[in-house]
Amino acid sequence: MSRRVTLADVSRKTGLSQATVSMILSRRPDVSFAEETVRLVRAAAEELGYAATRRRAALFARRTVMVVCPFIRNYYYSTVVQALQSEAAGMECNVLVYTTYGNAAEEARILRVMAESDVGGVVFAMMPQSRQLVRRIARQLPIVIMADREGESAADFVELHNYEAGALVARHLAGLGHTRVICISTPLSPAFPVRAKRFEGLRDAWAELCPEGKVSLYTSFASHAQARDNILLERRLGRKITAAVLEEQREPFTAIVAINDMMAYGALDALAEAGLSVPRDCSVCGCDNDFPSDLVGVSLTSVEHSMARNAKEAFRLLYSRMAGGTDATEVAARPNIRPELVPRASTGAPRT
Protein backbone atom coordinates (compact mmCIF):
# COMPACT_ATOMS: atom_id res chain seq x y z
CA MET A 1 0.00 0.00 0.00
CA SER A 2 1.39 3.41 -0.97
CA ARG A 3 2.08 5.90 1.78
CA ARG A 4 -0.21 8.97 2.03
CA VAL A 5 1.49 12.19 0.96
CA THR A 6 1.74 14.70 3.81
CA LEU A 7 2.47 18.39 4.23
CA ALA A 8 5.99 17.42 5.28
CA ASP A 9 6.52 15.86 1.84
CA VAL A 10 5.40 19.02 0.06
CA SER A 11 7.56 21.06 2.43
CA ARG A 12 10.68 19.01 1.63
CA LYS A 13 10.08 19.23 -2.11
CA THR A 14 9.63 23.01 -2.12
CA GLY A 15 12.17 23.86 0.57
CA LEU A 16 9.52 25.89 2.40
CA SER A 17 8.27 25.47 5.95
CA GLN A 18 5.24 23.30 6.68
CA ALA A 19 3.45 26.36 8.06
CA THR A 20 3.90 28.23 4.78
CA VAL A 21 2.79 25.21 2.75
CA SER A 22 -0.24 24.71 4.97
CA MET A 23 -1.37 28.36 4.71
CA ILE A 24 -1.02 28.36 0.92
CA LEU A 25 -2.83 25.05 0.35
CA SER A 26 -5.62 26.00 2.77
CA ARG A 27 -5.98 29.35 0.94
CA ARG A 28 -5.78 31.39 4.13
CA PRO A 29 -7.32 34.83 3.36
CA ASP A 30 -5.53 36.69 6.13
CA VAL A 31 -2.00 36.06 4.80
CA SER A 32 -0.41 36.60 1.40
CA PHE A 33 2.61 35.20 -0.46
CA ALA A 34 4.42 35.97 -3.69
CA GLU A 35 2.70 34.48 -6.75
CA GLU A 36 5.74 32.38 -7.65
CA THR A 37 5.72 30.87 -4.13
CA VAL A 38 2.04 29.98 -4.41
CA ARG A 39 2.58 28.39 -7.85
CA LEU A 40 5.56 26.43 -6.55
CA VAL A 41 3.61 24.95 -3.63
CA ARG A 42 0.52 24.09 -5.65
CA ALA A 43 2.56 22.48 -8.42
CA ALA A 44 4.50 20.37 -5.91
CA ALA A 45 1.29 19.29 -4.19
CA GLU A 46 -0.25 18.26 -7.51
CA GLU A 47 2.89 16.40 -8.61
CA LEU A 48 3.10 14.47 -5.32
CA GLY A 49 -0.62 13.77 -5.24
CA TYR A 50 -1.22 15.60 -1.98
CA ALA A 51 -4.86 15.64 -0.87
CA ALA A 52 -6.01 17.77 2.05
CA THR A 53 -7.56 15.71 4.83
CA ARG A 54 -10.11 18.44 5.58
CA ARG A 55 -12.21 20.26 3.06
CA ARG A 56 -14.29 23.32 3.77
CA ALA A 57 -17.99 22.86 3.27
CA ALA A 58 -19.55 24.49 0.21
CA LEU A 59 -20.51 28.07 1.02
CA PHE A 60 -24.25 27.59 0.57
CA ALA A 61 -24.19 24.48 2.81
CA ARG A 62 -22.91 26.31 5.91
CA ARG A 63 -25.75 27.17 8.26
CA THR A 64 -23.98 29.10 11.04
CA VAL A 65 -23.62 32.89 11.20
CA MET A 66 -21.23 34.74 13.53
CA VAL A 67 -22.31 38.10 14.98
CA VAL A 68 -19.48 40.35 16.23
CA CYS A 69 -20.35 43.23 18.55
CA PRO A 70 -18.46 45.27 21.18
CA PHE A 71 -20.92 44.55 24.01
CA ILE A 72 -23.96 42.38 24.60
CA ARG A 73 -25.19 43.98 27.84
CA ASN A 74 -26.04 47.21 25.97
CA TYR A 75 -29.69 47.07 24.85
CA TYR A 76 -28.71 48.49 21.44
CA TYR A 77 -26.56 45.45 20.64
CA SER A 78 -28.78 42.88 22.35
CA THR A 79 -31.61 44.13 20.12
CA VAL A 80 -29.43 43.51 17.06
CA VAL A 81 -28.50 40.00 18.20
CA GLN A 82 -32.08 39.00 19.01
CA ALA A 83 -33.39 40.29 15.67
CA LEU A 84 -30.65 38.42 13.79
CA GLN A 85 -31.44 35.22 15.69
CA SER A 86 -35.14 35.58 14.90
CA GLU A 87 -34.47 36.08 11.19
CA ALA A 88 -31.88 33.28 11.08
CA ALA A 89 -34.25 30.80 12.75
CA GLY A 90 -36.70 31.31 9.90
CA MET A 91 -33.99 30.17 7.47
CA GLU A 92 -32.87 27.28 9.71
CA CYS A 93 -29.54 28.96 10.44
CA ASN A 94 -27.62 29.10 13.72
CA VAL A 95 -26.21 32.27 15.29
CA LEU A 96 -23.03 32.57 17.37
CA VAL A 97 -22.15 35.81 19.18
CA TYR A 98 -18.68 37.17 19.97
CA THR A 99 -18.02 40.34 21.98
CA THR A 100 -14.78 42.28 21.49
CA TYR A 101 -15.20 45.05 24.13
CA GLY A 102 -13.59 47.38 21.60
CA ASN A 103 -10.31 45.44 21.64
CA ALA A 104 -8.77 45.47 18.13
CA ALA A 105 -6.55 42.46 18.84
CA GLU A 106 -9.54 40.37 19.95
CA GLU A 107 -11.43 41.40 16.83
CA ALA A 108 -8.54 40.39 14.54
CA ARG A 109 -8.13 37.09 16.35
CA ILE A 110 -11.77 36.05 15.94
CA LEU A 111 -11.69 37.11 12.29
CA ARG A 112 -8.78 34.74 11.64
CA VAL A 113 -10.57 31.95 13.49
CA MET A 114 -13.69 32.45 11.38
CA ALA A 115 -11.66 32.46 8.17
CA GLU A 116 -10.45 28.94 9.03
CA SER A 117 -13.84 27.66 10.20
CA ASP A 118 -17.02 26.49 8.49
CA VAL A 119 -18.93 29.63 9.50
CA GLY A 120 -21.20 30.63 6.65
CA GLY A 121 -20.97 34.39 7.13
CA VAL A 122 -20.33 37.25 9.55
CA VAL A 123 -22.37 40.26 10.66
CA PHE A 124 -20.49 43.13 12.32
CA ALA A 125 -22.87 45.12 14.54
CA MET A 126 -20.32 47.96 14.47
CA MET A 127 -17.57 49.29 12.19
CA PRO A 128 -14.66 46.81 12.43
CA GLN A 129 -11.23 48.16 13.34
CA SER A 130 -9.35 45.46 11.37
CA ARG A 131 -10.43 46.83 8.02
CA GLN A 132 -7.58 45.48 5.89
CA LEU A 133 -8.12 42.02 7.37
CA VAL A 134 -11.87 42.29 6.73
CA ARG A 135 -11.13 43.29 3.14
CA ARG A 136 -9.04 40.14 2.59
CA ILE A 137 -11.42 37.76 4.33
CA ALA A 138 -14.48 39.21 2.59
CA ARG A 139 -13.13 37.81 -0.70
CA GLN A 140 -14.13 34.33 0.40
CA LEU A 141 -16.39 34.73 3.44
CA PRO A 142 -19.58 36.84 3.24
CA ILE A 143 -19.44 39.81 5.63
CA VAL A 144 -22.12 42.42 6.30
CA ILE A 145 -21.35 45.53 8.36
CA MET A 146 -23.98 47.55 10.21
CA ALA A 147 -22.39 50.98 10.60
CA ASP A 148 -21.94 54.47 9.18
CA ARG A 149 -20.22 53.80 5.89
CA GLU A 150 -16.75 55.31 5.44
CA GLY A 151 -15.04 55.09 2.05
CA GLU A 152 -14.70 51.94 -0.02
CA SER A 153 -15.19 48.48 1.44
CA ALA A 154 -14.98 44.89 0.25
CA ALA A 155 -17.82 43.95 2.62
CA ASP A 156 -21.53 44.66 2.26
CA PHE A 157 -23.23 47.36 4.33
CA VAL A 158 -26.49 48.10 6.01
CA GLU A 159 -25.77 51.76 6.51
CA LEU A 160 -26.70 53.60 9.70
CA HIS A 161 -26.98 57.37 10.19
CA ASN A 162 -25.49 58.35 13.53
CA TYR A 163 -24.40 61.79 12.31
CA GLU A 164 -28.02 62.47 11.44
CA ALA A 165 -29.08 61.23 14.88
CA GLY A 166 -26.92 63.87 16.55
CA ALA A 167 -28.38 66.55 14.28
CA LEU A 168 -31.93 65.48 15.19
CA VAL A 169 -31.19 66.04 18.89
CA ALA A 170 -29.69 69.47 18.12
CA ARG A 171 -32.78 70.53 16.16
CA HIS A 172 -35.08 69.35 18.95
CA LEU A 173 -33.26 71.22 21.74
CA ALA A 174 -32.69 74.36 19.68
CA GLY A 175 -36.38 74.37 18.79
CA LEU A 176 -37.23 74.33 22.51
CA GLY A 177 -35.06 77.41 23.06
CA HIS A 178 -31.89 75.91 24.57
CA THR A 179 -28.61 77.67 23.76
CA ARG A 180 -26.03 76.05 26.05
CA VAL A 181 -25.85 72.26 26.28
CA ILE A 182 -23.30 69.68 27.34
CA CYS A 183 -22.68 66.29 25.76
CA ILE A 184 -21.50 63.41 27.96
CA SER A 185 -19.76 60.40 26.46
CA THR A 186 -17.25 57.66 26.94
CA PRO A 187 -14.07 58.57 24.98
CA LEU A 188 -14.56 59.22 21.25
CA SER A 189 -12.00 56.56 20.31
CA PRO A 190 -11.48 54.87 16.90
CA ALA A 191 -12.85 51.68 18.46
CA PHE A 192 -16.31 53.27 18.68
CA PRO A 193 -16.77 55.65 15.73
CA VAL A 194 -20.53 55.74 16.33
CA ARG A 195 -19.93 58.03 19.33
CA ALA A 196 -17.87 60.48 17.30
CA LYS A 197 -20.48 60.54 14.52
CA ARG A 198 -23.26 61.39 16.95
CA PHE A 199 -21.27 64.16 18.60
CA GLU A 200 -20.20 65.61 15.24
CA GLY A 201 -23.82 65.72 14.08
CA LEU A 202 -24.85 67.46 17.29
CA ARG A 203 -21.95 69.94 17.16
CA ASP A 204 -22.32 70.84 13.48
CA ALA A 205 -26.09 71.25 13.57
CA TRP A 206 -25.83 73.32 16.76
CA ALA A 207 -23.33 75.71 15.16
CA GLU A 208 -25.77 76.27 12.32
CA LEU A 209 -28.99 76.49 14.35
CA CYS A 210 -27.64 78.33 17.39
CA PRO A 211 -24.40 80.16 16.49
CA GLU A 212 -24.59 82.22 19.69
CA GLY A 213 -24.85 79.06 21.78
CA LYS A 214 -22.34 76.44 22.85
CA VAL A 215 -21.93 72.66 22.99
CA SER A 216 -19.34 71.30 25.45
CA LEU A 217 -18.12 67.69 25.47
CA TYR A 218 -17.27 65.81 28.68
CA THR A 219 -15.86 62.28 28.68
CA SER A 220 -14.45 59.74 31.12
CA PHE A 221 -12.04 56.91 30.41
CA ALA A 222 -12.83 53.22 30.99
CA SER A 223 -10.38 50.35 30.45
CA HIS A 224 -11.15 47.10 28.59
CA ALA A 225 -11.08 45.28 31.93
CA GLN A 226 -13.69 47.64 33.36
CA ALA A 227 -15.83 47.22 30.26
CA ARG A 228 -15.78 43.45 30.68
CA ASP A 229 -16.49 43.38 34.40
CA ASN A 230 -18.94 46.23 34.99
CA ILE A 231 -22.37 45.49 33.53
CA LEU A 232 -23.61 49.00 34.39
CA LEU A 233 -20.41 50.81 33.39
CA GLU A 234 -21.96 53.33 30.96
CA ARG A 235 -24.70 54.31 33.39
CA ARG A 236 -22.14 54.81 36.16
CA LEU A 237 -19.93 56.89 33.86
CA GLY A 238 -22.92 59.06 32.93
CA ARG A 239 -23.65 59.61 36.60
CA LYS A 240 -19.98 60.31 37.40
CA ILE A 241 -19.48 62.84 34.59
CA THR A 242 -22.74 64.70 35.29
CA ALA A 243 -22.06 64.88 39.03
CA ALA A 244 -18.55 66.25 38.39
CA VAL A 245 -19.82 68.95 36.03
CA LEU A 246 -22.51 69.98 38.52
CA GLU A 247 -20.09 70.05 41.43
CA GLU A 248 -17.41 72.05 39.65
CA GLN A 249 -19.96 74.44 38.11
CA ARG A 250 -17.64 75.03 35.18
CA GLU A 251 -20.30 76.63 33.00
CA PRO A 252 -24.07 77.15 32.87
CA PHE A 253 -26.14 74.75 30.76
CA THR A 254 -29.81 73.90 30.42
CA ALA A 255 -29.66 70.51 28.67
CA ILE A 256 -27.58 67.32 28.69
CA VAL A 257 -27.15 65.18 25.59
CA ALA A 258 -25.90 61.67 26.39
CA ILE A 259 -24.13 59.75 23.65
CA ASN A 260 -26.45 56.80 24.38
CA ASP A 261 -29.41 56.02 26.63
CA MET A 262 -27.36 54.13 29.22
CA MET A 263 -25.32 57.26 29.94
CA ALA A 264 -28.52 59.31 29.97
CA TYR A 265 -29.87 57.12 32.79
CA GLY A 266 -26.73 57.96 34.76
CA ALA A 267 -27.25 61.68 34.10
CA LEU A 268 -30.83 61.39 35.40
CA ASP A 269 -29.46 59.73 38.56
CA ALA A 270 -26.96 62.54 39.15
CA LEU A 271 -29.53 65.29 38.56
CA ALA A 272 -31.95 63.66 41.01
CA GLU A 273 -29.21 63.33 43.64
CA ALA A 274 -28.42 67.04 43.21
CA GLY A 275 -32.07 67.93 43.82
CA LEU A 276 -32.65 69.12 40.26
CA SER A 277 -35.89 68.56 38.37
CA VAL A 278 -36.07 67.18 34.81
CA PRO A 279 -36.92 68.95 32.56
CA ARG A 280 -37.69 72.08 34.63
CA ASP A 281 -34.06 72.59 35.74
CA CYS A 282 -32.34 70.59 33.02
CA SER A 283 -33.48 68.67 29.94
CA VAL A 284 -31.92 65.29 29.10
CA CYS A 285 -31.67 63.50 25.73
CA GLY A 286 -30.40 60.01 24.92
CA CYS A 287 -29.65 58.44 21.57
CA ASP A 288 -30.73 54.77 21.31
CA ASN A 289 -34.39 54.60 22.37
CA ASP A 290 -33.67 51.60 24.58
CA PHE A 291 -36.58 49.73 26.17
CA PRO A 292 -36.36 51.44 29.62
CA SER A 293 -36.56 54.89 27.99
CA ASP A 294 -40.26 54.36 27.31
CA LEU A 295 -41.09 53.54 30.94
CA VAL A 296 -43.29 56.12 32.67
CA GLY A 297 -40.75 56.73 35.42
CA VAL A 298 -37.97 57.42 32.88
CA SER A 299 -39.71 58.94 29.83
CA LEU A 300 -36.42 59.79 28.12
CA THR A 301 -36.34 61.74 24.87
CA SER A 302 -34.18 59.70 22.52
CA VAL A 303 -33.48 58.71 18.90
CA GLU A 304 -34.93 55.56 17.37
CA HIS A 305 -32.47 53.81 15.04
CA SER A 306 -34.76 50.88 14.09
CA MET A 307 -31.94 48.48 14.88
CA ALA A 308 -34.18 45.39 14.82
CA ARG A 309 -35.31 46.18 11.27
CA ASN A 310 -31.76 46.99 10.18
CA ALA A 311 -30.50 43.74 11.71
CA LYS A 312 -33.06 41.69 9.82
CA GLU A 313 -32.04 43.45 6.63
CA ALA A 314 -28.41 42.62 7.41
CA PHE A 315 -29.22 38.92 7.77
CA ARG A 316 -31.19 38.85 4.52
CA LEU A 317 -28.26 40.40 2.68
CA LEU A 318 -25.82 37.99 4.29
CA TYR A 319 -28.01 34.98 3.52
CA SER A 320 -28.25 35.97 -0.13
CA ARG A 321 -24.45 35.95 -0.24
CA MET A 322 -24.27 32.59 1.49
CA ALA A 323 -26.73 31.14 -1.01
CA GLY A 324 -24.87 32.63 -3.98
CA GLY A 325 -27.79 34.84 -4.93
CA THR A 326 -25.87 38.12 -5.04
CA ASP A 327 -23.19 39.01 -7.58
CA ALA A 328 -19.96 38.37 -5.65
CA THR A 329 -18.12 41.00 -7.70
CA GLU A 330 -20.31 43.84 -6.42
CA VAL A 331 -20.48 45.28 -2.92
CA ALA A 332 -24.09 45.74 -1.89
CA ALA A 333 -25.59 48.48 0.25
CA ARG A 334 -29.18 47.69 1.14
CA PRO A 335 -31.89 50.33 1.61
CA ASN A 336 -31.72 51.57 5.18
CA ILE A 337 -34.00 53.21 7.70
CA ARG A 338 -33.47 56.80 8.78
CA PRO A 339 -33.35 57.62 12.52
CA GLU A 340 -36.30 59.40 14.15
CA LEU A 341 -36.42 61.56 17.27
CA VAL A 342 -38.85 60.31 19.95
CA PRO A 343 -39.74 63.27 22.23
CA ARG A 344 -40.78 62.42 25.79
CA ALA A 345 -41.07 64.11 29.18
CA SER A 346 -37.31 64.53 29.82
CA THR A 347 -37.04 67.58 27.54
CA GLY A 348 -38.77 70.93 27.67
CA ALA A 349 -38.18 74.65 27.30
CA PRO A 350 -35.37 76.07 29.47
CA ARG A 351 -36.23 78.16 32.52
CA THR A 352 -35.98 81.87 31.89
Side-chain angles (χ1 to χ4, degrees), residues 26-56:
S26 63
R27 300 179 184 273
R28 282 270 298 269
D30 57 316
V31 291
S32 59
F33 297 93
E35 290 185 12
E36 57 270 22
T37 303
V38 174
R39 285 196 296 268
L40 172 65
V41 171
R42 290 177 180 170
E46 184 176 355
E47 180 182 342
L48 293 172
Y50 172 79
T53 57
R54 174 181 176 272
R55 293 179 179 273
R56 290 175 63 94

Side-chain angles (χ1 to χ4, degrees), residues 69-93:
C69 58
F71 310 103
I72 197 63
R73 55 178 165 68
N74 187 304
Y75 186 78
Y76 177 95
Y77 293 110
S78 62
T79 298
V80 170
V81 170
Q82 185 168 337
L84 283 164
Q85 287 177 324
S86 174
E87 199 69 14
M91 302 303 294
E92 298 183 346
C93 288

Side-chain angles (χ1 to χ4, degrees), residues 13 31 64 71 83 109 111 116 123 144 147 155 164 191 198 217 267 308 310 319 331:
K13 185 170 182 63
V31 291
T64 298
F71 310 103
R109 186 185 69 80
L111 269 169
E116 288 298 296
V123 174
V144 175
E164 184 177 337
R198 292 177 180 181
L217 174 67
N310 276 312
Y319 188 81
V331 173

Side-chain angles (χ1 to χ4, degrees), residues 130-246:
S130 313
R131 300 186 191 178
Q132 292 185 348
L133 184 57
V134 168
R135 184 181 298 275
R136 291 200 295 270
I137 292 176
R139 295 169 186 164
Q140 75 168 59
L141 182 66
I143 296 177
V144 175
I145 299 171
M146 300 174 62
D148 301 85
R149 191 165 185 175
E150 300 175 3
E152 296 298 319
S153 173
D156 298 317
F157 263 82
V158 169
E159 188 170 4
L160 306 182
H161 304 277
N162 283 291
Y163 182 91
E164 184 177 337
L168 285 172
V169 173
R171 285 195 286 272
H172 175 66
L173 291 175
L176 290 172
H178 294 273
T179 58
R180 301 179 72 87
V181 304
I182 66 170
C183 178
I184 62 173
S185 173
T186 46
L188 306 184
S189 68
F192 302 102
V194 59
R195 300 170 184 167
K197 288 289 183 183
R198 292 177 180 181
F199 175 70
E200 289 166 5
L202 171 71
R203 178 199 62 197
D204 294 350
W206 199 261
E208 179 181 346
L209 296 166
C210 189
E212 75 282 6
K214 183 178 180 182
V215 174
S216 301
L217 174 67
Y218 293 91
T219 68
S220 182
F221 175 76
S223 68
H224 291 304
Q226 289 174 311
R228 285 181 181 274
D229 297 337
N230 192 341
I231 195 168
L232 295 176
L233 176 65
E234 289 176 308
R235 179 178 175 179
R236 291 180 180 177
L237 287 177
R239 178 181 176 182
K240 173 184 174 182
I241 296 170
T242 304
V245 174
L246 291 172

